[in-house]
Amino acid sequence: MQNIKRQFLDLFIVLLVLLCSISGAFEPLDNALKSFRFGVATRPATGNIVFVAIDPKSLASVGVWPWPRHVHAELIDKLLDLDVSDIVFDVDFSAASNERDDALMEAALVNAGGFVSLAGFAQQKSARSDELEFTEPLPRFAAEAGVVAVNVRTSADGVLRRYPYGIRVGDTLYPSLAGMLSDTPAADGEFAIDFGIDPETVNVISVVDILEERVPAAAIAGKQVVVGASALELRDNFTVPRYGILPGAMLQVLAAETLKQNRALISGSALNGATLALFIAIGFLLCRWKFGLAAAVGVVALLGVGSELIAVILQAGSAITIDTTAGHIVFAALALAGLSRELNLRRFLLGKTRRERDVTQRILNRVIADNFDGVLVIAGDGTVLTASRFADEILGLTDGQTTIGADMTKILPPVLATEVKVALQLQDDVVQAPEPHEATIVDRTGAKRVVEYVITLSRVDAEQGRDAQEQGNAVACLTFRDITDRRATETRLTYLAAHDPLTGALSRTKFSELINSAMQSEDGQLVGMTVIMLDLSRFKIINDTMGHASGDELLRQVVERFKGCDVDCVARLGGDSFAAARAGILDGPELDRFCNQVLHSVSADYRLGDRKAMIGAQIGVTTTDDSGYDPDMLISHADMALSAAKASPVNGYAVYSREMDARLNELREMESALRQAIAEDQFFVLYQPQVLLEDQSMVGVEALVRWNHPTLGLVSPAKFIPVAEETGLILDLGRWVLIAACKEAASWPRQVKLAVNVSPMQFEFGDVVEDIKNALELSGLSPAQLDVEITEGLFIANPERVTRKLEEIKALGVGVALDDFGTGFSSLSYLGQLPIDKIKIDQAFVRGLPEDQHAAAIVRAVMTLSESLGKKVVAEGIEDADQAWMLKLAGCHIGQGYYFGKPMAGSDIVARMQHRDANAKTVVAR
């Protein structure tokens, strides 16, 4: 008990000191120590700042205060003549004087050219308001000089220790005078001034000496000057650490010197002082416990001296201040308390043995009572010796005291009581390392609980107590804990690992496991299995328009409907994609009936709250007869069939066939061949002429990529372009075509427009603007010669992003043409807003001319629209003279098609140019 009292007393002393430290009670003592440390390590000023003082001698010389403004103006001129670098006035210029003096002051500021800064002050608008307003110099002065804040704020004890980086008034942050002199950016917050800088080392010059030209230029040239009051009668004085009272202007100089020397003090908080006190307290207590009170006093005294020495070194060397008062006080208090206790130690030792035994017993009882687990100590006759409160809670008892002395069979569930009884009966075979077991019990409220329990036996010697001896040679300790929630969580996690948490359908992994398990046995393989994959259409529209909650509810209903379609299990593979499996091989009419049943059930109307929704569905099917017994292969083949079903816009299903595998292999082979073709330069470019319909002169060409395979010969673009886009190879291929076409066109004898198609994939996943820049740079082709052709589908996904890239392309001087116009989506809605130069009428409209009146009407409408928007029109697919004639009458500018020339090599384009040039010369000669 005495030890506990001593510990509590020590703890109380430590806590009291810590609370006093944190609350700031020791702040005056800490401030006194810091002030002392300033005097231990004095440092000189940099000498870059000169204090031009308005001292008594200057006041007597002028004879009046405030000084007339012409005196300040003269002072500015004199300082400028001495070639100072900066001039800062810690003087109030906010009120007007007479016009003559103010004009002279303004002229001096103008002459200074911005090298003068004037003081501004932040103050409360009124006594009843905390809102600040900033008093600046007269506007005519502020317009010609910088404005710096000279506000300072003293601590509660009236001593000024900190200085602001800037003063914020409203949304405006004004730089402080010291911040301006030290080139420190204005900011919120303050820093502690280093009063270790000796103001005696600051060069102080009287104003009158400047005015009367008694100061040599060498003493002040290139220096920063602070002009302010030093005369006591002007009352611009502050109480500071170490020096007592300093003029306000000298305080500004010391603050600027602090920043210039990177000496803004990092102040140790009260919490740091408390930490030091706690460290010293722990050191004292440990030393006292290990070596005795005398050693503890000696060691911690050295620790206190060392901490004070470290504080001096840190403050002098690294500009870090720490609070040590709390450490000294806690050491003194603990030492006094220890000395006091030593005087009473012998009296305490007289009853130590019995008290320690009692204390130990109480501690053990308390440990058991407060144990986080349920703990019961049971004697050999089944009597409960002690129990923890948590055991009472689990067993449903309301008062822990009623457990003590009770018969265990009356308070323990039968399963636990039986286990304890068996353990006590086998006390000769005490288990040294018992293993935990689980049991399900019913508490007093009727709730089932799962508990994990351990029973340990301890032998009790006769000397340890007559009562224990009478009760038997061993006691049992039953320790148990409630793991009901843990087991429920594990069950839930097991469920989530195998199921989709939203719909309750199986996960993909569990789905594969079930298929694999069913196909492991010969019976399962004999029966076979049908695997169905189902994908929803229009689900994204419902999710976006009706909300995710409605979308989630629809998915749950889809799973329930799918389960009701005579399947053995349903899985959600992700998003709106599902799979199901059923035993047996479905084919023929039975498969058709089943698939139509699923489609009908899944695509029927859904009721989502008070709204109705409709979706579509496609199904892919395979069986073990076609795909084998491997789950991954079954799912993969069903997915292939689903892809085939999704090619149709209506609800339907497709059954896996080996041709689908062949198609997939063909695509893979095509991809591999494409990669090799790009690496081995198997591609080449042809050019189809574009002519003026007016005189059929060639004004441009469209670059068309072709592939000459070493064994397959010419491969149609309709085959390899989609594969290139699907695999991303279109990025490399498109880049190659762009560079190759630009290089060839740049070598032609006459400049014509070169049109190059750009895939949407290049816009979405590549840097098409950089590709165009690179092609122009490598080829030397003029940007004005190049047109990039795009399709309307490019604008569906991200029209704003595409438009920005097109504007960047236009900024290069490159033209933009809209290809296949009229076959995309919402053409007219954005046509006027797109940064395009040309519109290419799709050949689908040209093919029916001149007989197809509908096509003719569409062409005329496009021409009218294009003319109103200022766009040129190119008609594709012109195959005869009648089509060319009709398009010309309709106002079309440029034509392209087999009538004017098939795609040809670059050499043929050059020959055509030379032939036309030769004919033109012949006509001129005639």
Side-chain angles (χ1 to χ4, degrees), residues 219-237:
I220 198 171
K223 309 290 186 182
Q224 295 175 312
V225 171
V226 176
V227 180
S230 67
L232 292 176
E233 57 267 32
L234 296 184
R235 300 180 180 179
D236 185 20
N237 301 295

Side-chain angles (χ1 to χ4, degrees), residues 481-517:
R481 64 182 60 182
D482 187 353
I483 60 170
T484 306
D485 292 339
R486 187 205 305 173
R487 289 292 177 260
T489 300
E490 290 172 354
T491 302
R492 175 63 177 165
L493 290 175
T494 302
Y495 174 83
L496 291 178
H499 295 80
D500 171 43
L502 175 63
T503 63
L506 298 178
S507 66
R508 184 188 189 100
T509 302
K510 188 63 177 179
F511 184 65
S512 297
E513 289 177 358
L514 289 179
I515 294 175
N516 189 57
S517 177

Side-chain angles (χ1 to χ4, degrees), residues 206-225:
S206 176
V207 170
V208 68
D209 291 339
I210 299 292
L211 295 176
E212 295 179 5
E213 300 182 355
R214 291 196 292 268
V215 177
I220 198 171
K223 309 290 186 182
Q224 295 175 312
V225 171

